[in-house]
Amino acid sequence: MSIHKSEIVKILKSKGLRVTPQRFAVYANLRSRGDHPTAEQILTDLNKNTPTSSQATVYSALQTLREVNLIREVLLQEGVSRYDANVTPHHHFRCRQCEKIEDIDWDAFQSINLNSLRPGLTVDSYEITVQGLCEKCQ
Amino acid sequence: MSIHKSEIVKILKSKGLRVTPQRFAVYANLRSRGDHPTAEQILTDLNKNTPTSSQATVYSALQTLREVNLIREVLLQEGVSRYDANVTPHHHFRCRQCEKIEDIDWDAFQSINLNSLRPGLTVDSYEITVQGLCEKCQ
DNA sequence: CTTTGTGCAAACGATTTGCAGGATG
DNA sequence: CATCCTGCAAATCGTTTGCACAAAG
């Protein structure tokens, strides 16, 4: 669960991208938290003690990290983009009350049989989104 | 598949809401199309021939219709909200190329066993999102 | 040194809001 | 005729962009 600094360095460099403190900080922040924060939450968090990144830089870093597949965007709330450092396939649980989003292991569900899909469609991936209430919001 | 005017009237009235031509037009437009349009697409469509609704009114009608559960919002694209007049449970296919969204019948997949979810969570519903390429984009 | 990235502020697109006039029940 | 809704324009929110300076390789 620790951040393999060498790995992010390798991935960025292999694409001809620079490893800046800001990019690293954004990635590290995203990895260290269990939720799926918005760009603004990351920005606030990074600058809590000392100024680390500007707003534009956080947005740009998120875009870059997404392009090299170090992070991904999750579409679980209207209006804002949320990010996830877990790029392995998994599902999501979303609390309809507090809007918290929690990962669900891929193996928690049996796999879906996609053969009954209309022919002509090519499938890349799928994902299950479960909605409900978390324990705090019961 | 036709629009049961009486039903929308009944639902709105039962909540003390008025049945205005604009609300009806937005709902009728959404029902008559197979895609999942944005607010702006609906607005353009409604005003194609004669001015029918203003921008603010379309947004407000969508919000109202959503509150009474006549339509729902689908979260499948960043930045914009898309709407769906199909409020019965179903899944979605999304083309990663043209971003078209297509409904998948609920019965297309076997049902998911939710028992393996972490205890403490209460489940309301779930939904499968399949990503891939539609036939046009192959 | 050359190129790419950062920070600032202004620009932008989708959505919301305040308010005066208009339509609905 | 009281209330709720519409339309307009201005405001707001998240995100993007242009550009001068700074840092990385």
Side-chain angles (χ1 to χ4, degrees):
Chain A
M1 249 314 175
S2 74
I3 300 143
H4 299 295
K5 182 160 186 176
S6 56
E7 205 194 323
I8 163 174
V9 171
K10 198 199 302 170
I11 291 177
L12 287 174
K13 282 197 173 171
S14 74
K15 310 266 180 176
L17 296 165
R18 294 183 180 165
V19 185
T20 64
Q22 291 86 343
R23 281 176 183 166
F24 190 74
V26 167
Y27 183 66
N29 182 269
L30 205 43
R31 283 212 59 145
S32 70
R33 41 200 304 170
D35 59 345
H36 299 68
T38 63
E40 219 218 323
Q41 290 173 323
I42 295 171
L43 176 68
T44 307
D45 213 5
L46 289 184
N47 295 335
K48 195 176 292 168
N49 302 311
T50 45
T52 304
S53 294
S54 74
Q55 188 198 50
T57 302
V58 168
Y59 277 101
S60 140
L62 287 168
Q63 208 169 290
T64 305
L65 293 167
R66 186 159 54 98
E67 279 161 14
V68 300
N69 226 46
L70 277 163
I71 67 173
R72 65 153 152 165
E73 195 177 45
V74 289
L75 302 172
L76 295 161
Q77 192 192 350
E78 5 150 6
V80 251
S81 289
R82 295 184 166 272
Y83 297 90
D84 191 347
N86 180 356
V87 291
T88 62
H90 61 277
H91 307 293
H92 286 110
F93 175 87
R94 180 196 186 198
C95 177
R96 72 160 190 279
Q97 187 80 47
C98 68
E99 302 222 311
K100 185 175 151 58
I101 291 148
E102 190 175 301
D103 285 353
I104 301 173
D105 275 357
W106 183 259
D107 298 329
F109 304 127
Q110 68 275 37
S111 57
I112 301 294
N113 173 13
L114 296 160
N115 296 329
S116 45
L117 268 189
R118 193 161 64 65
L121 303 180
T122 309
V123 173
D124 295 333
S125 61
Y126 69 86
E127 172 179 332
I128 301 171
T129 303
V130 180
Q131 298 239 19
L133 284 180
C134 71
E135 47 264 274
K136 281 185 196 158
C137 296
Q138 303 284 346
Chain B
M1 250 312 174
S2 74
I3 300 144
H4 299 295
K5 183 158 185 176
S6 55
E7 206 192 324
I8 164 174
V9 170
K10 198 199 305 172
I11 291 177
L12 287 174
K13 283 196 174 174
S14 73
K15 310 265 180 177
L17 296 165
R18 293 184 179 165
V19 185
T20 64
Q22 291 88 340
R23 284 178 181 164
F24 191 74
V26 167
Y27 183 67
N29 181 270
L30 203 45
R31 285 213 56 147
S32 70
R33 42 201 304 172
D35 60 345
H36 299 68
T38 63
E40 217 218 322
Q41 289 173 324
I42 296 171
L43 177 68
T44 307
D45 213 7
L46 288 184
N47 295 334
K48 196 176 287 167
N49 302 311
T50 43
T52 306
S53 293
S54 75
Q55 190 199 48
T57 302
V58 169
Y59 278 99
S60 139
L62 287 168
Q63 207 169 291
T64 305
L65 292 168
R66 186 159 52 97
E67 280 162 12
V68 301
N69 224 45
L70 278 163
I71 67 174
R72 65 153 153 165
E73 196 176 43
V74 288
L75 302 173
L76 295 161
Q77 192 191 349
E78 6 152 3
V80 251
S81 289
R82 294 183 167 273
Y83 296 88
D84 190 347
N86 181 355
V87 291
T88 62
H90 61 279
H91 307 293
H92 286 110
F93 176 86
R94 181 196 183 197
C95 178
R96 70 159 190 280
Q97 188 79 47
C98 67
E99 302 222 308
K100 185 178 151 60
I101 291 149
E102 190 175 299
D103 285 353
I104 302 173
D105 276 355
W106 183 258
D107 298 328
F109 303 126
Q110 69 274 36
S111 55
I112 302 292
N113 174 11
L114 296 160
N115 296 329
S116 45
L117 268 189
R118 192 161 67 63
L121 303 179
T122 310
V123 173
D124 295 335
S125 62
Y126 69 88
E127 171 177 332
I128 300 171
T129 304
V130 180
Q131 298 240 17
L133 284 179
C134 71
E135 47 262 279
K136 282 186 195 157
C137 294
Q138 304 283 345

